[in-house]
Amino acid sequence: MASAKIVYASMTGNDEEIADILEEAFENLDVDVDVSEISQTDAAEFEDYDIDIIVTYTYGDGELPDEAVDFFEDLQEEDLNGKIFGCAGSGDTFYDDFAKSVDDFADAFKKTGAVEGAPVVKIDLAPEEDDITALQAFAKQLLATYNAQN
């Protein structure tokens, strides 16, 4: 059975909701899933899982959330060769750098040697019905990429 680790940063609850949607999607796919808040998680924990996911918001004009900065820096030092990763999160389309932190984390994962298992998913503010469908497809694609490599 595949395993997945979802680490999230959430200020308003939108990204915690995204993490919960992904958790349920993975459970429905018979994936063993663990979810934790970014400030309570060490980046090295990703070594223990097959599929690694970051869910984050973007603060202000494209900045990482304050509580995610240390994790972001530590992540880039990890060796996650053979792992599958995915990034999702919320933003506000009002800003020019809509959900930039999602892309920043995807770039950080690439430095670890992990393989991007699905394109990033960016959600405008809170997830709605179309977003839930996109997140379920995201989880399925991550699992399919993992299965194709194992």
Side-chain angles (χ1 to χ4, degrees), residues 21 23-24 26 62 66 70 105 123 125 137 144-145 147-148:
I21 292 165
E23 178 181 26
E24 183 176 337
F26 278 116
D66 286 343
D70 289 342
F105 266 105
I123 294 170
L125 303 174
T145 302
N147 286 335

Side-chain angles (χ1 to χ4, degrees), residues 78-142:
E78 293 299 316
D79 178 0
L80 299 176
N81 270 316
K83 305 293 181 184
I84 304 301
F85 81 86
C87 297
S90 68
D92 187 337
T93 54
F94 171 82
Y95 292 96
D96 292 335
D97 290 319
F98 171 64
K100 182 179 178 292
S101 291
V102 176
D103 295 326
D104 291 343
F105 266 105
D107 290 341
F109 263 121
K110 290 173 187 171
K111 292 178 182 176
T112 70
V115 174
E116 188 168 20
V120 299
V121 175
K122 296 180 180 181
I123 294 170
D124 186 23
L125 303 174
E128 298 189 8
E129 209 53 48
D130 289 352
D131 300 314
I132 293 169
T133 301
L135 289 166
Q136 291 167 337
F138 175 73
K140 285 180 187 172
Q141 181 61 51
L142 287 168

Side-chain angles (χ1 to χ4, degrees), residues 44-105:
E45 291 181 37
F46 278 146
E47 295 174 18
D48 299 331
Y49 297 86
D50 303 312
I51 302 168
D52 301 325
I53 300 109
I54 288 284
V55 177
T56 186
Y57 65 95
T58 300
Y59 190 75
D61 291 320
E63 291 97 37
L64 291 169
D66 286 343
E67 69 271 25
V69 172
D70 289 342
F71 189 95
F72 178 80
E73 291 170 357
D74 293 345
L75 174 62
Q76 296 175 73
E77 302 299 319
E78 293 299 316
D79 178 0
L80 299 176
N81 270 316
K83 305 293 181 184
I84 304 301
F85 81 86
C87 297
S90 68
D92 187 337
T93 54
F94 171 82
Y95 292 96
D96 292 335
D97 290 319
F98 171 64
K100 182 179 178 292
S101 291
V102 176
D103 295 326
D104 291 343
F105 266 105

Side-chain angles (χ1 to χ4, degrees), residues 1-4 26-27 29-33 50-51 143 146-147:
M1 175 186 287
S3 62
F26 278 116
E27 287 172 346
L29 295 167
D30 292 323
V31 173
D32 183 29
V33 62
D50 303 312
I51 302 168
L143 182 59
Y146 168 76
N147 286 335

